[in-house]
Amino acid sequence: MSATAAGSSAASSIAGVSSSSSAPEVRVVGGALRGTLESGVAVFRGVPFAAAPVGALRLAAPQPAGSWDGVRPAQAYGPPPPQSDVLGGGPSSQGVVGGDPAGGDWLTVNVFTPEPDPAARLPVLVWIHGGAYTIGASDRPEYDGGHLARDGQVVVVTFNYRVGMEGFAQIAGAPPNRGLLDQVAALEWVRENIAVFGGDPDLVTVFGESAGGGSVAALLAMPRAVGLFRRAIAQSVQGTYFSTELAADIAAACAGELGLRPTVADLAATDPDLLVVAGDSIAATLAERAGRWGRPAHRSVLFAPVVDGEVLASTPWQAVAAGAGRGVDLLVGHTRDEQRLFTAMAGQLGQVSAEQAAVALRDFAPGPDGARRYRDAYPDAGPAELYELVLSDWSFRMPTLHLAEAQIAGGGQVHLYELTWRAPGLGGALGACHGLDVPLVFGNLSSGQPAMLLGEVPSAQAVALSARMRAAWTTFAAQGDPGWPAYDPDRRRTQIFDASPEVAAYPEEKSRLIWLTHSFSILPLVGT
């Protein structure tokens, strides 16, 4: 807590803010909150931004959170939404059925602020976690916002949103894209409440990685999100957006595992853990369903935002190219070796065969001659490199680049980066893999998953690179300029984050040309 905050007793009492050496307090719309003071940062965890989506609100659009009497402790994260426990192998929903909200407070925010004083007017960074729209929660150690808030003098907000069946399944009688609607509700809570934490509601930057990056792209395209953020950072944008037909067919398969129909009438009274198990069962057989569901089945993507014509009227690339992002400062980028992490997780490092590479090129390279174009562009690449190139490009790299180019086409400005620094984890075998940017941006280099990527003791290079990236993100949040020139289609200037960062032409020129005329369109139901 700063001397300014501690000494502004009159202003604090007027705004409903108070503090002590160990328990800062604020008053939001719903009531008073008591947080904790951690290394100079006031932290408030597990604050509801919407009512628990259980009972009559199950599978519904988010509704306003209720109020409370007295001072509510805000010192523990809220429970994660229903999902698989990828570490333990079972559901971890802490879910409930019926009207009892205990354990169903999935929709909560966490705020990290170096200056809980309404006069501070600090930039605000709102994080959307990834997880293939199927897993993820804000309580992961790598998402702790303390370093970013303290070092960058920004307010950091993280939150949970519904994933999997609860958030993205196309269910008759339920609004589509409930996970995206949760994100809008969280941003509305930020607009209404962030000032008492020292944040500026007119200076909000939304940022996210992977499915979180795809969510940021979707928010740019959503009329309901207009005016809720001034800037956006999309990291490794996941490029999957489903048609209603594809999403409905997947939902029917998941519900069918339980002998149910994909309707609110059948599913709203079903234990959330059972929906998780049903989804996991279908995910385990996705390879068998590729003839019907196409590329998402090949990539084990069971859920994604649905282009439904209402919540999401078009793909982000279409909307942004038409000018949806013109008034939003945009920063986008990806890692060099996006696919490497998934190859390692599948136990395929050094094991990719020529046949596997050929199948990947057939299924994911753009156009009828895409496979040939990859082989011509990368004549010295072996099967493993070709396999990773085409999967990196389809999944994350080219969706991200095309979002940058759509922003320019729509009359906006964008800054582009690529992370090329080779992570030391697993002897450097992971390269600049998917997710490497997350610990570097948050500055959490030795807890949770980052230890696998960066080693038990982060190197001096990792510490220095993290400081550079945090400075770029927070400067962009404050000023709209991360410190390097804007991207343009002629010079294609890109910030390269490596041991020795530099600004250079976009490094993935060969892939850019292969995908130049490709349109990332709605993923359809391909078989009947």
Side-chain angles (χ1 to χ4, degrees), residues 100-126:
D100 180 7
D105 284 325
W106 307 322
L107 304 182
T108 58
V109 301
N110 319 292
V111 182
F112 304 79
T113 175
E115 191 75 29
D117 181 344
R121 306 289 290 185
L122 297 175
V124 182
L125 278 162
V126 180

Side-chain angles (χ1 to χ4, degrees), residues 130-285:
Y133 304 104
T134 304
I135 61 172
S138 61
D139 61 356
R140 293 182 63 88
E142 53 264 42
Y143 303 152
D144 184 288
H147 291 293
L148 194 58
R150 182 181 61 252
D151 297 345
Q153 286 298 293
V154 295
V155 177
V156 176
V157 179
T158 66
F159 65 91
N160 291 338
Y161 59 96
R162 284 172 286 181
V163 295
M165 289 283 286
E166 300 286 337
F168 290 94
Q170 188 77 0
I171 297 171
N177 294 308
R178 296 171 299 282
L180 294 180
L181 294 177
D182 291 347
Q183 295 171 15
V184 170
L187 287 167
E188 290 173 339
W189 184 93
V190 168
R191 179 185 60 194
E192 295 169 1
N193 294 284
I194 204 64
V196 302
F197 297 94
D200 186 342
D202 296 322
L203 205 57
V204 173
T205 297
V206 62
F207 71 130
E209 182 265 350
S210 195
S215 295
V216 170
L219 289 168
L220 288 168
M222 290 172 60
R224 299 186 192 202
V226 171
L228 294 178
F229 53 93
R230 181 172 176 179
R231 299 185 174 115
I233 304 174
Q235 304 169 214
S236 298
V237 174
Q238 183 171 328
T240 51
Y241 299 86
F242 288 177
S243 69
T244 54
E245 295 79 11
L246 174 61
D249 204 65
I250 293 173
C254 293
E257 285 290 297
L258 303 174
L260 301 173
R261 300 166 301 167
T263 66
V264 168
D266 276 20
L267 300 181
T270 302
D271 187 330
D273 285 348
L274 291 180
L275 297 189
V276 171
V277 170
D280 288 349
S281 179
I282 295 297
T285 61

Side-chain angles (χ1 to χ4, degrees), residues 62-121:
Q63 299 299 309
S67 58
W68 56 88
D69 296 325
V71 180
R72 179 184 179 123
Q75 299 163 355
Y77 289 107
Q83 60 188 272
S84 290
D85 178 359
V86 295
L87 298 178
S92 64
S93 73
Q94 302 181 42
V96 295
V97 183
D100 180 7
D105 284 325
W106 307 322
L107 304 182
T108 58
V109 301
N110 319 292
V111 182
F112 304 79
T113 175
E115 191 75 29
D117 181 344
R121 306 289 290 185

